[in-house]
Amino acid sequence: MLTLSAKLKTASLVAIAVASLSATPVLAEDITLWTLNFDNNAANTALKKVATDFEAANPGTHVEIVQRAVDEHKTALRVAAGSDKGPDIYFSWAGLGLGGEYVKAGLSLPLDKYYAEYKWKDELLPSAAAFADLYPGGKHGVPFTFKGEAVYYNKKLFEQAGIKEEPKTYEELLAAADKLKAAGIPAFTFGGTVNWHVMRLMDVILETKCGAEKHDALKAMTLDWTKEPCATESFAEFAKWAKDYTLQPFMGIDNKQSYSLFTAGRAAMMLEGDWLVSQLDGSGANLDDYGIFPFPTNTDRLYGFAEYNYISTKSKSPDVAAKFLDYFLSTKVQQDLLGQLSSTSVNKNVQYANQKPLEAEWLGIFQKYSKVYMNGDQAFPLDVTTEYFRVINDVASGNTEPADAAKQLQSFIASRT
């Protein structure tokens, strides 16, 4: 039998133990983000700060960021898709091609309830958010960055050719190209040695000739390229542009050389991304010499591509993952990140100070368009992209007739099934 002294001692020990247990912090709810090791180190630093600040605002939560090179990241995601383990959040490119590969494999969790809960539609640029609706079975992913692509033009060369207004329709663009040709000025410059640079011309022509619905179906490979006349018409139109309206011989130069020729006044237009504004400014060019307008496809969609963050179906804490993404997308955080991840935020409420006219024009474009169509290398799976590049290059070089181009591409697509 315990003495009174022993009982008191035991009670004291129990009280200490209870007090100790009550002082133990709640187990941390960890989430893991798999993303790229970005070439822009400012982006890497900024992303880690977002994670640290989120942890401070949500005690007991830890965000682990795992960064890899592009190919290693893709390999890790493919492995995760086929296993029972994976990240809570992962980075990928938006679109039915690269991003769609992991959605189709079942790695991406539909986010419809989180879009409703956090009212993300009220915060996001319509053009940036549009990619979430490309996939079957609900909304997938939220924007990390968005890049628009449009036509930059040299105002002096337009004036020299007698072009008084920016083309607003495809027909007006053709008329402008003819005026430039008559004045001895190439309409466009492209870098033919880098496949994706020439691809842009084919992409916008497909959008123009086929319209939004058929263009999407061709890129989704649900429409036969040989049975849809607009596909062959697009290759024929592309061949005409390559022959009549581009700086020749463009297949022998790369995108950097193409840029140099554009700034030297050797061609009137370039089909480039919003990032070109800072490139022009950084090279000492007079921004007042240039203007921009979306390539006039007559479909009211903007050409561009996006990078997204997706919540994984392997996540054991999808609610915490969504809370982190909401924090990342919030106006305050996006305001702080401005210029570190991208020159334009995916949050439409972010304020811009001391904007250059071209930057303000881009912001207006982003706010105007709620529908997008994407680059071919984002829409197609990798192997089809490679064949798409080959066919485009052969048509541009005159080695493949437009009538055969659609057949060759469709033949490759059919061989995959």
Side-chain angles (χ1 to χ4, degrees):
M1 224 175 144
L2 292 174
T3 64
L4 179 59
S5 174
K7 287 179 179 179
L8 289 173
K9 184 176 182 181
T10 300
S12 178
L13 290 171
V14 170
I16 291 171
V18 171
S20 176
L21 285 171
S22 63
T24 302
V26 177
L27 288 176
E29 205 158 4
D30 293 351
I31 59 170
T32 303
L33 165 64
W34 286 6
T35 189
L36 297 184
N37 186 13
F38 297 101
D39 292 334
N40 174 16
N41 197 49
N44 298 322
T45 302
L47 193 57
K48 289 171 184 174
K49 185 178 185 302
V50 171
T52 302
D53 291 347
F54 178 78
E55 292 169 349
N58 297 271
T61 299
H62 174 65
V63 181
E64 180 186 4
I65 299 178
V66 179
Q67 294 180 277
R68 300 181 175 94
V70 173
D71 290 342
E72 293 172 345
H73 179 68
K74 290 178 181 177
T75 299
L77 289 177
R78 291 190 183 103
V79 171
S83 69
D84 59 356
K85 294 181 180 179
D88 295 279
I89 303 169
Y90 67 89
F91 166 99
S92 186
W93 296 265
L96 297 174
L98 292 173
E101 176 184 346
Y102 309 115
V103 174
K104 188 176 180 180
L107 186 60
S108 173
L109 184 74
L111 304 182
D112 299 72
K113 74 171 186 175
Y114 297 122
Y115 267 87
E117 178 183 347
Y118 290 113
K119 297 181 173 57
W120 283 335
K121 188 177 179 180
D122 295 338
E123 286 199 302
L124 295 172
L125 281 173
S127 48
F131 292 85
D133 295 316
L134 294 175
Y135 311 104
K139 291 179 176 291
H140 287 266
V142 295
F144 179 69
T145 65
F146 174 68
K147 309 293 186 184
E149 292 155 288
V151 178
Y152 289 75
Y153 68 94
N154 185 312
K155 293 179 180 178
K156 293 178 181 177
L157 293 182
F158 264 40
E159 183 179 354
Q160 186 177 326
I163 303 168
K164 301 184 184 307
E165 294 182 351
E166 295 176 354
K168 294 181 176 59
T169 67
Y170 184 68
E171 293 71 27
E172 289 179 0
L173 179 62
L174 284 178
D178 282 329
K179 285 184 177 181
L180 288 163
K181 183 179 180 181
I185 304 168
F188 271 91
T189 177
F190 290 95
T193 63
V194 285
N195 299 312
W196 46 267
H197 213 240
V198 184
M199 171 200 71
R200 293 174 182 169
L201 179 58
M202 186 65 199
D203 286 344
V204 295
I205 289 174
L206 277 166
E207 178 77 2
T208 305
K209 288 295 181 181
C210 294
E213 187 176 342
K214 288 182 179 179
H215 183 192
D216 287 348
L218 287 167
K219 290 284 176 65
M221 299 178 294
T222 58
L223 193 61
D224 192 316
W225 287 69
T226 61
K227 294 179 180 178
E228 179 45 61
C230 76
T232 298
E233 290 172 14
S234 295
F235 279 114
E237 190 78 357
F238 172 80
K240 177 178 173 58
W241 274 91
K243 178 176 179 291
D244 293 342
Y245 300 134
T246 54
L247 182 67
Q248 298 291 338
F250 74 95
M251 293 304 290
I253 62 175
D254 63 17
N255 58 308
K256 293 180 181 178
Q257 292 170 305
S258 176
Y259 167 79
S260 297
L261 291 168
F262 175 65
T263 55
R266 295 281 301 279
M269 293 179 275
M270 277 192 83
L271 181 54
E272 270 292 347
D274 56 284
W275 57 84
L276 196 73
V277 177
S278 59
Q279 188 177 346
L280 286 167
D281 192 40
S283 66
N286 183 356
L287 296 184
D288 293 337
D289 291 341
Y290 303 96
I292 54 172
F293 60 88
F295 193 100
T297 59
N298 306 339
T299 63
D300 201 31
R301 298 203 302 179
L302 180 63
Y303 187 43
F305 64 93
E307 298 166 328
Y308 264 40
N309 282 319
Y310 299 79
I311 294 181
S312 167
T313 53
K314 315 299 179 183
S315 174
K316 293 181 172 59
S317 304
D319 290 345
V320 180
K323 189 174 184 180
F324 173 77
L325 291 177
D326 181 62
Y327 179 80
F328 173 78
L329 294 172
S330 66
T331 302
K332 181 183 182 306
V333 171
Q334 285 292 310
Q335 189 75 59
D336 293 340
L337 288 173
L338 190 62
Q340 298 179 73
L341 300 181
S342 180
S343 59
T344 305
S345 173
V346 297
N347 184 309
K348 67 182 181 183
N349 301 313
V350 163
Q351 299 297 310
Y352 297 82
N354 303 319
Q355 271 197 310
K356 299 173 178 64
L358 282 182
E359 292 173 331
E361 199 168 344
W362 262 116
L363 185 60
I365 291 172
F366 287 144
Q367 291 173 335
K368 174 184 176 182
Y369 287 89
S370 60
K371 297 178 181 179
V372 296
Y373 64 103
M374 72 195 75
N375 297 45
D377 56 357
Q378 303 285 327
F380 281 131
L382 181 59
D383 59 335
V384 181
T385 293
T386 302
E387 179 66 7
Y388 185 52
F389 286 162
R390 185 194 68 77
V391 173
I392 290 170
N393 290 346
D394 277 356
V395 172
S397 301
N399 297 326
T400 295
E401 290 297 319
D404 293 327
K407 295 177 184 177
Q408 291 181 19
L409 184 58
Q410 185 60 42
S411 176
F412 181 86
I413 292 170
S415 71
R416 302 171 73 249
T417 58

